[in-house]
Amino acid sequence: MNTCQQCESSFAIDQGERAQRMDLSPVIAGVKYDLPEPKLCPNCRMQRRMVFRNERKLFQRTSSKSGKAMLSMYSDDTVFPVFANSEWWADENEANIYGQDIDWNRPFFEQMHEMSLKVPRMQFFKTGEESMDNAEYTNCVSSLKDCYLAFATSYSEGCSYLDYTDKCFDCYDCYFIFGCTQCYECVDCENCTRLAHSQQCKTCSDSYFLYDCKDTKNSIACVGLRNKEYHILNKPVSKEQYETVLADLKQGNKQRIAQIRTSFEELKQSVPKKYIQGEGSEDVTGNAIWNSQQCYNSYDIYNSERLRHSAWVMDSKDCMDFYAWGEGTELTYDAVGCGDKVYASQFVSHSFGVKESQYLELCMYSSNCFGCVGLKKKQYCILNKQYTKEEYEMLVPKLIAHMKSTGEW
């Protein structure tokens, strides 16, 4: 057993995890550099990753480039520059201008931090901005129209107060919903329409207070139903009885609503539930796992394979200690907010499509880079300084040895 250096709890590392970590170790100039075993438990490691991702807190500030007022995920007293997203992408000064030489007499992270304070960041973390329309008050999002206070949301329209949603229309106050339309106060729902106050439902419609229901419509306060219509508290009722109760709900009859809520909660406690949320998965531990295999201690996972200690990852495989996004990411270790085919990289934050790189933040479609911030389509950079392939492959092994000597690797 290992002891976490942060919370002092005990945690185990089994042989499967050790083998996977070795498979994820970086290969530089044909030589593999083994990743050491972690000193923190999985929960503390997840907390450390999440510290780097501000999804929901917005600030009024000015652009460090143009001086124009704007909203941002960074406050106005942030020590590094912050540009409007359009300014960041169009910036004529590539981030290599902030590059610096390696000082072999100092710890590497100290040097990277010093350099990172000079590099501009984007006001928000957004993709597909060319398809954004009236979605200013959002962050960690992609392709939205007419959305307000929506976070970690993509391909949605007319939605407000959402977290972790995809392909939704006219939905409000929802969390982890997908392919839904006109839903309100729903959690973990998929392909539902005109559903309210419900959780863990799939292809349900025109209903209130459902839990773990599928293909159910015109029902109120039901649990575990399949292919049902006109039910209240899991009992069949006539259409007329249903519409009478529905009218009370729509008119805001507080006494009737309170009675239904109380009876619904009692019913939820009495009906057996599956031990794990999710479908189509094999050999998994955690919860909320769909169409995935060999995922351990992982949560909110979709269409993925061979993940460990990960959360909110989709369409990815062979990754460990990964939080948020994915979409084609492979062979990646200790990453947060990364996607669009990140490959064979370690210790990466909020980057798109990077390959065979280590210790990156906000780098886009770059490869073979080490300890860099804010690069776009670059290769063979260390601390944002450009090198030749030969120089890079000579310096990185030396730098890893230096980091081992300082206890940073």
Side-chain angles (χ1 to χ4, degrees):
M1 295 294 289
N2 299 61
T3 300
C4 176
Q5 291 189 354
Q6 180 165 298
C7 71
E8 300 183 350
S9 65
S10 297
F11 66 99
I13 301 175
D14 61 30
Q15 288 304 114
E17 181 173 337
R18 288 190 174 95
Q20 187 172 10
R21 187 173 288 106
M22 292 304 100
D23 291 341
L24 298 178
S25 295
V27 176
I28 299 163
V31 177
K32 177 176 281 193
Y33 293 85
D34 290 345
L35 293 166
E37 291 193 350
K39 297 177 181 178
L40 302 182
C41 69
N43 285 346
C44 287
R45 300 201 304 270
M46 181 65 78
Q47 290 172 10
R48 181 176 62 186
R49 285 190 294 280
M50 295 174 90
V51 163
F52 285 85
R53 184 174 169 90
N54 171 21
E55 291 176 1
R56 285 164 280 183
K57 192 166 185 179
L58 308 182
F59 301 91
Q60 185 70 47
R61 61 162 295 143
T62 57
S63 164
S64 303
K65 184 174 180 66
S66 64
K68 294 181 179 179
M70 65 181 187
L71 286 169
S72 176
M73 60 180 174
Y74 299 109
S75 63
D76 214 12
D77 59 357
T78 305
V79 291
F80 45 74
V82 177
F83 290 2
N85 282 29
S86 58
E87 296 169 346
W88 190 89
W89 284 105
D91 185 22
E92 64 277 9
N93 294 319
E94 290 292 347
N96 290 115
I97 66 171
Y98 307 102
Q100 62 188 50
D101 293 324
I102 303 166
D103 185 344
W104 301 102
N105 296 312
R106 298 169 58 200
F108 178 74
F109 288 154
E110 181 182 294
Q111 299 174 64
M112 183 177 175
H113 175 67
E114 177 182 271
M115 181 270 296
S116 74
L117 298 182
K118 306 171 187 175
V119 182
R121 308 306 203 275
M122 291 191 290
Q123 70 181 115
F124 289 125
F125 189 63
K126 296 182 178 182
T127 62
E129 290 197 70
E130 66 282 354
S131 54
M132 291 282 184
D133 183 8
N134 190 29
E136 183 181 8
Y137 289 80
T138 62
N139 192 27
C140 299
V141 296
S142 175
S143 304
L144 303 183
K145 181 180 180 181
D146 298 330
C147 290
Y148 176 72
L149 292 181
F151 305 99
T153 294
S154 56
Y155 306 106
S156 296
E157 183 176 339
C159 296
S160 297
Y161 314 112
L162 302 186
D163 265 332
Y164 296 100
T165 58
D166 183 54
K167 299 181 179 67
C168 293
F169 298 88
D170 300 318
C171 294
Y172 299 86
D173 288 332
C174 294
Y175 184 72
F176 271 108
I177 64 170
F178 304 92
C180 293
T181 300
Q182 295 181 13
C183 290
Y184 175 66
E185 282 195 347
C186 290
V187 176
D188 292 327
C189 291
E190 181 181 356
N191 297 329
C192 294
T193 303
R194 295 180 298 279
L195 188 65
H197 316 298
S198 298
Q199 184 176 359
Q200 294 186 26
C201 292
K202 185 174 182 179
T203 54
C204 295
S205 64
D206 300 290
S207 299
Y208 295 78
F209 301 107
L210 300 187
Y211 182 89
D212 185 29
C213 293
K214 294 180 183 177
D215 302 303
T216 297
K217 59 184 178 180
N218 296 314
S219 296
I220 297 170
C222 293
V223 179
L225 294 189
R226 302 291 186 267
N227 300 294
K228 300 294 183 182
E229 184 176 10
Y230 296 122
H231 277 61
I232 296 176
L233 292 169
N234 280 28
K235 296 179 180 179
V237 297
S238 67
K239 181 180 178 182
E240 291 73 20
Q241 288 174 304
Y242 170 79
E243 289 180 344
T244 298
V245 176
L246 179 62
D248 283 342
L249 289 178
K250 289 186 173 181
Q251 291 169 9
N253 185 320
K254 293 183 179 180
Q255 183 177 359
R256 193 61 175 270
I257 292 172
Q259 290 174 345
I260 289 174
R261 280 186 178 274
T262 299
S263 299
F264 176 56
E265 292 301 323
E266 291 173 353
L267 181 63
K268 283 169 62 177
Q269 296 301 317
S270 66
V271 174
K273 302 173 185 62
K274 192 166 67 170
Y275 79 103
I276 189 173
Q277 182 185 352
E279 293 179 344
S281 297
E282 183 178 0
D283 189 17
V284 298
T285 61
N287 197 22
I289 304 176
W290 282 267
N291 303 319
S292 300
Q293 295 79 42
Q294 295 179 295
C295 296
Y296 309 120
N297 188 35
S298 294
Y299 304 85
D300 297 306
I301 306 298
Y302 303 83
N303 308 319
S304 296
E305 301 175 21
R306 297 180 295 280
L307 304 183
R308 286 180 191 266
H309 311 311
S310 297
W312 182 220
V313 178
M314 63 179 70
D315 304 309
S316 298
K317 60 183 179 180
D318 298 304
C319 298
M320 186 185 298
D321 284 27
F322 187 10
Y323 172 61
W325 196 11
E327 286 194 320
T329 293
E330 297 183 34
L331 296 168
T332 293
Y333 179 76
D334 207 350
V336 55
C338 293
D340 199 3
K341 299 181 176 64
V342 172
Y343 178 77
S345 297
Q346 301 79 29
F347 316 112
V348 182
S349 168
H350 295 91
S351 297
F352 306 166
V354 298
K355 304 181 186 301
E356 300 180 90
S357 298
Q358 296 76 40
Y359 303 110
L360 303 188
E361 180 189 352
L362 198 62
C363 290
M364 308 301 174
Y365 308 106
S366 298
S367 62
N368 300 104
C369 292
F370 195 103
C372 294
V373 179
L375 298 183
K376 307 185 196 87
K377 298 182 180 179
K378 296 296 180 181
Q379 283 184 294
Y380 307 118
C381 297
I382 303 172
L383 291 175
N384 281 33
K385 181 176 179 179
Q386 184 69 61
Y387 293 93
T388 66
K389 180 178 184 290
E390 294 73 21
E391 290 171 331
Y392 180 86
E393 292 182 344
M394 181 270 294
L395 284 171
V396 171
K398 184 180 176 183
L399 185 52
I400 291 173
H402 173 69
M403 293 179 72
K404 287 181 178 180
S405 71
T406 60
E408 298 171 288
W409 177 248

